[in-house]
Amino acid sequence: RTHTMAVSHKDVQDYYGKTLQKSDDLQTNACCIGEQIPAAHKKILARIHEEILTKFYGCGSPLPDGLTGCVVLDLGSGTGRDVYLASAFVGEKGKVIGVDMTDEQLAVARKYVDYHAAEFGYSSPNVEFRKGFIEDLKTIG
């Protein structure tokens, strides 16, 4: 079982870290969202760095209202689009933690931490990105 998981993790890391370079490279449409993006989300997405948006491979952003001051955990955060979206919703006193196992995705996400703190008018970042496996949160470093 451990060997199978290791092979599976490696395959996923290679796909998201090396094969995919932009959203158009996705080899499936299984994650297409059928509903419109809420207006509040669109306003924030317009402020998120273009590289983050270009490399978004997710299935939508199920973020509810009323997150001000909360702590949000994004599992499989990739390059951080939803982390940065949540960052705006939780505000400067909230916190968002993104977890991903792919070095290349995390490198892109981390590159824009200070950019988004400044973009949202925060005195310091309210996000962090950690490497680990979402099915075993003890692996988070």
Side-chain angles (χ1 to χ4, degrees):
R1 177 166 159 83
T2 303
H3 175 69
T4 303
M5 289 296 285
V7 171
S8 177
H9 284 150
K10 178 78 169 107
D11 291 342
V12 172
Q13 286 172 319
D14 286 347
Y15 181 67
Y16 283 96
K18 294 177 178 54
T19 302
L20 296 178
Q21 297 301 310
K22 58 189 181 312
S23 300
D24 291 341
D25 294 337
L26 282 167
Q27 297 173 5
T28 179
N29 63 357
C31 260
C32 291
I33 52 174
E35 54 196 62
Q36 290 288 346
I37 297 172
H41 288 91
K42 285 182 183 179
K43 287 180 184 176
I44 298 165
L45 289 172
R47 300 172 68 189
I48 292 176
H49 195 278
E50 184 177 342
E51 184 176 12
I52 300 293
L53 297 176
T54 301
K55 295 183 176 187
F56 175 67
Y57 312 127
C59 296
S61 304
L63 295 169
D65 293 333
L67 291 176
T68 303
C70 289
V71 176
V72 174
L73 177 63
D74 182 9
L75 300 174
S77 59
T79 60
R81 188 198 84 156
D82 288 345
V83 170
Y84 292 120
L85 182 61
S87 169
F89 284 126
V90 302
E92 190 167 14
K93 294 185 191 234
K95 183 169 184 94
V96 186
I97 302 164
V99 177
D100 205 274
M101 68 174 178
T102 310
D103 291 325
E104 295 87 347
Q105 297 281 301
L106 289 166
V108 173
R110 289 172 176 149
K111 182 165 59 169
Y112 296 104
V113 169
D114 290 334
Y115 169 90
H116 289 98
E119 180 67 27
F120 298 144
Y122 300 161
S123 60
S124 62
N126 67 344
V127 303
E128 64 180 82
F129 293 93
R130 297 186 184 179
K131 183 175 181 180
F133 299 112
I134 64 174
E135 65 274 22
D136 183 3
L137 294 178
K138 290 183 279 181
T139 65
I140 296 173

